[in-house]
Amino acid sequence: MKAAVIKNEGAAPVYTEFAEPVVGEHRQLVELVAAGIHPVVRALAGGTHYGSRGSWPLIPGVDAVARTGDGQLVYTGFTEHPYGTFAERLSVPMTIPLPAGADPIQVAGGLNPGLSSWVPLRGRQAEGPLGTVLVLGATGVAGTVAVQSALALGADHVVAVGRNQAALERLAGQRVSTAALVGEPGPDGFALAAALAEHRPSTVLDFVWGQPAELTFAALSRAGLDDDQQPCVYIEIGASAGATAAVPAALLRSTAITVKGSGAGSAKLSELMAELPLFMARIADGSVRVPVSAVPLTDVESAWQGDEPGRRTVLTA
């Protein structure tokens, strides 16, 4: 079969022949319709992600929209190494039917980045009203979807923070305020302190970590010895701005803040699978729109070299 194949560490995928996948027990063969080039795909393929096998050659790709033998469109994944989803045919253990009217390109491009915020938001929703949600890294694909998901789940307000001023302007609305990170961030926390003075968050979704996280910690800090009346859960999801961030001791002592992570390994697979149909329904009904660009699988090598900022590249069969 034809597939995108990475032949050695650090190489870009090439469209070439690869052995057919083995269809073992409790698996079925499906045909690719669309699959997203997500950041986690690049990290796993390059050996920099904690889940990488560190062996090549391999077919990249973690999830896909595919077609079953009877013609049904399904969302799927969990291929077995060295097989990924960037191939004509996939051997998979699970399929979830797409809702009526769902755009396969939107689903393929949106489920991976969207679930990264949807799952923790749903967990917070189960604990009570969302109140104000701060999205750090809101102008990337995952952050843009996170803003929409927070609103769809009933957040009173969203504070969207990012570097792309034009993208922030598109996100701004009646229930969305913005704070820009432009050039070198200064001690004022790139205007975040002013934004949080009016809308202090009960939940932070952090897609960037690094220095922006440190500035956010500073903006969340309090003075005085009175009780913190606004508990906050700070959820670390991505690390595009740096792998480490210093957490001030005074922040942990003076505020009712909880810092935790959400990702493969910390989030339960059963919870993830339960949320998939619900989030797909949001894509199908238009509550969540994902900025995507569709590219044929045959052009995977050029597509791999770089994404259009703020859009998710989706490979199509």
Side-chain angles (χ1 to χ4, degrees):
M1 69 173 180
K2 292 289 189 179
V5 181
I6 295 179
K7 296 184 178 181
N8 48 65
E9 183 177 4
V14 294
Y15 185 70
T16 188
E17 291 287 340
F18 203 83
E20 292 281 347
V22 176
V23 184
E25 189 176 6
H26 305 303
R27 287 183 170 267
Q28 63 175 301
L29 194 67
V30 296
E31 294 187 350
L32 177 69
V33 174
I37 305 180
H38 312 300
V40 68
V41 171
R42 298 179 188 276
L44 285 167
T48 59
H49 191 274
Y50 60 81
S52 176
R53 296 292 188 94
S55 64
W56 296 266
L58 59 79
I59 298 173
V62 296
D63 65 348
V65 172
R67 195 180 307 276
T68 62
D70 60 5
Q72 186 178 39
L73 286 175
V74 297
Y75 176 76
T76 190
F78 297 103
T79 53
E80 292 185 313
H81 185 79
Y83 292 90
T85 56
F86 295 179
E88 289 182 314
R89 287 174 287 282
L90 321 171
S91 173
V92 296
M94 51 71 70
T95 59
I96 300 176
L98 264 63
D103 180 352
I105 307 298
Q106 283 280 304
V107 173
L111 267 245
N112 178 273
L115 283 172
S116 66
S117 60
W118 180 268
V119 171
L121 281 171
R122 285 275 291 167
R124 294 289 290 140
Q125 186 187 47
E127 299 167 0
L130 287 179
T132 292
V133 175
L134 166 63
V135 180
L136 188 57
T139 56
V141 174
T144 297
V145 175
V147 171
Q148 298 176 65
S149 294
L151 295 174
L153 288 171
D156 296 330
H157 195 84
V158 176
V159 180
V161 182
R163 288 188 180 275
N164 188 320
Q165 184 64 56
L168 286 177
E169 291 173 1
R170 289 192 294 270
L171 288 172
Q174 185 176 4
R175 293 159 59 199
V176 181
S177 58
T178 64
L181 172 59
V182 181
E184 291 298 321
D188 63 347
F190 46 90
L192 186 55
L196 298 190
E198 185 175 358
H199 298 285
R200 189 167 179 85
S202 58
T203 303
V204 177
L205 302 176
D206 182 350
F207 292 93
V208 296
W209 204 233
Q211 188 182 33
E214 294 177 349
L215 294 173
T216 304
F217 293 148
L220 290 170
S221 295
R222 300 169 62 248
L225 299 176
D226 56 310
D227 293 343
D228 186 359
Q229 300 298 317
Q230 177 60 71
C232 176
V233 176
Y234 191 111
I235 304 170
E236 198 283 319
I237 300 172
S240 60
T244 61
V247 181
L251 173 72
L252 299 178
R253 298 199 308 272
S254 66
T255 64
I257 191 169
T258 300
V259 181
K260 59 187 290 188
S262 181
S266 62
K268 293 182 180 179
L269 182 59
S270 58
E271 296 175 354
L272 179 71
M273 298 304 293
E275 295 298 331
L276 276 169
L278 299 176
F279 186 66
M280 277 199 291
R282 295 291 185 172
I283 293 177
D285 68 16
S287 300
V288 173
R289 296 293 298 172
V290 187
V292 296
S293 297
V295 177
L297 179 62
T298 53
D299 295 339
V300 62
E301 187 170 4
S302 60
W304 187 267
Q305 302 303 326
D307 291 319
E308 183 181 348
R311 301 186 71 83
R312 183 56 43 90
T313 300
V314 175
L315 301 174
T316 60

